[in-house]
Amino acid sequence: MEHGKFIISLDFELFWGVRHNKTIENYGKSILGVHTVLPKMLSIFEKFNINVTFATVGFLFFDKKENLISALPELTPTYSNPKYSPYEKDIYNIGDDYQKDLYHYGLPLIKLIQNHENHEISTHTFSHYFCLESGQTVSQFKADLIAAIKVAKENGIAIKSIIFPRNQYSAEYLQVCKELGITNYRNHDTSWLYKGRNSNSFFLMKKVRKILRFIDSYLPVSGFNSFDDKKMLTDPIVGIPGGFFLRSFSRKYSFLEPLKVFRIQASIIYAAKRKKCFHLWWHPHNYGENQEQNCKNLQKILKTYQFCEAKYGMKSYTMTALTESVLYK
């Protein structure tokens, strides 16, 4: 029997995902907040029986610097712009262990996720790798991904899905994923606003896209962002449209919060009624500050899913579970 499908994926990266354009001084509170808000989110997901894909940067699978350094791949990315590479200096300047550096280590949090068996831990690459930036090569990406798969396996996790940082990928990189046993990835074919581009994109266009993305958080610029699972790309691996980014609570724009929540609720109901899929995603550090308000918004959204589950038979899926439902139905 056909039914609507609800997917949540989280890009779990701590400071590795923002280190090239933010500092600990101006963004540290959001990163530190992950360590307290993640348990809250896991509790909320359990309350509403939600299955979540946590795409995790491989660097987070460690709690000691010496173990991380010993696991680095021989080939590392040779970006033309060195600020994108954590291997230039960043990785050697982190604290010695988890207790001394909560910005860069995440193994205890990964173990916490593993305690909830309904969730999937996937990869966000080993080093938060940018596939479309100039200078790096496919071979370097393959070495990075092998390292990510290896450290996950050492922790009892089989990697089957990938979320590319900044949504940067191409056919060559997808083929590498297939060779290494990955079956699916998050793409952004539902709207041109969210397609991955490198840092050399035309400046004015980047500004326009940023403005439109902001407006899209409150008004349906990109539509309802739902998709038909029968029409998902399957070659060389399954591409699951990313759907919609859940923007964090903003004190400055707090008067728009009801509109933001309603925009997502309407999209979930739209997908449920038409037996389509709706994919919601964000980063745990987006919830690092204003945790109470963010968690309240999340519960409002999940109550809408719960309503759709009861009325229309909508179901919650991880990315890999959705892939298997498409490939093996």
Side-chain angles (χ1 to χ4, degrees), residues 185-199:
Y185 68 105
R186 189 178 72 201
N187 68 29
H188 283 269
D189 285 345
T190 51
S191 173
W192 68 274
L193 284 178
Y194 302 99
K195 288 183 182 295
R197 291 171 172 82
N198 66 27
S199 58

Side-chain angles (χ1 to χ4, degrees), residues 188 190-195 208-226 242-247 256-257 259-267 278-281:
H188 283 269
T190 51
S191 173
W192 68 274
L193 284 178
Y194 302 99
K195 288 183 182 295
V208 170
R209 289 174 72 231
K210 184 176 182 179
I211 293 170
L212 289 177
R213 284 179 178 182
F214 175 79
I215 297 172
D216 192 41
S217 296
Y218 306 99
L219 299 172
V221 174
S222 61
F224 287 101
N225 304 95
S226 61
F244 196 75
F245 173 69
L246 175 55
R247 190 176 291 271
L256 291 175
E257 288 298 302
L259 195 60
K260 179 183 73 178
V261 172
F262 178 76
R263 192 237 191 284
I264 295 171
Q265 291 173 321
S267 295
F278 181 74
H279 189 166
L280 190 65
W281 69 277

Side-chain angles (χ1 to χ4, degrees), residues 42-60:
L42 287 170
S43 178
I44 293 171
F45 293 144
E46 184 173 18
K47 175 182 176 181
F48 290 94
N49 196 26
I50 301 295
N51 306 309
V52 178
T53 296
F54 288 84
T56 307
V57 170
F59 284 176
L60 299 186

Side-chain angles (χ1 to χ4, degrees), residues 13-21 57 124 128 130 166 285:
E13 53 197 33
L14 292 182
F15 197 67
W16 297 112
V18 299
R19 43 157 287 282
H20 55 277
N21 59 11
V57 170
H124 201 37
H128 203 260
F130 296 124
R166 286 191 176 178
H285 62 249

Side-chain angles (χ1 to χ4, degrees), residues 89-130:
K89 59 178 181 179
D90 294 4
I91 201 166
Y92 299 101
N93 292 332
I94 64 175
D96 290 336
D97 55 40
Y98 174 79
Q99 285 73 24
K100 295 178 181 177
D101 190 345
L102 296 176
Y103 301 105
H104 295 98
Y105 297 99
L107 185 59
L109 296 178
I110 293 172
K111 295 298 184 184
L112 188 62
I113 297 168
Q114 283 183 284
N115 290 335
H116 297 258
E117 297 180 356
N118 52 325
H119 301 316
E120 171 188 18
I121 295 178
S122 69
T123 188
H124 201 37
T125 72
F126 189 65
S127 64
H128 203 260
Y129 194 102
F130 296 124

Side-chain angles (χ1 to χ4, degrees), residues 48 53 55 68 75 83 87 116 119-120 141 155 218 283 319:
F48 290 94
T53 296
L68 170 55
L75 285 177
K83 77 173 185 178
Y87 300 103
H116 297 258
H119 301 316
E120 171 188 18
F141 169 72
N155 285 275
Y218 306 99
H283 311 85
M319 287 174 55

Side-chain angles (χ1 to χ4, degrees), residues 277-291:
C277 306
F278 181 74
H279 189 166
L280 190 65
W281 69 277
W282 68 97
H283 311 85
H285 62 249
N286 295 142
Y287 274 22
E289 295 190 77
N290 302 311
Q291 293 185 15

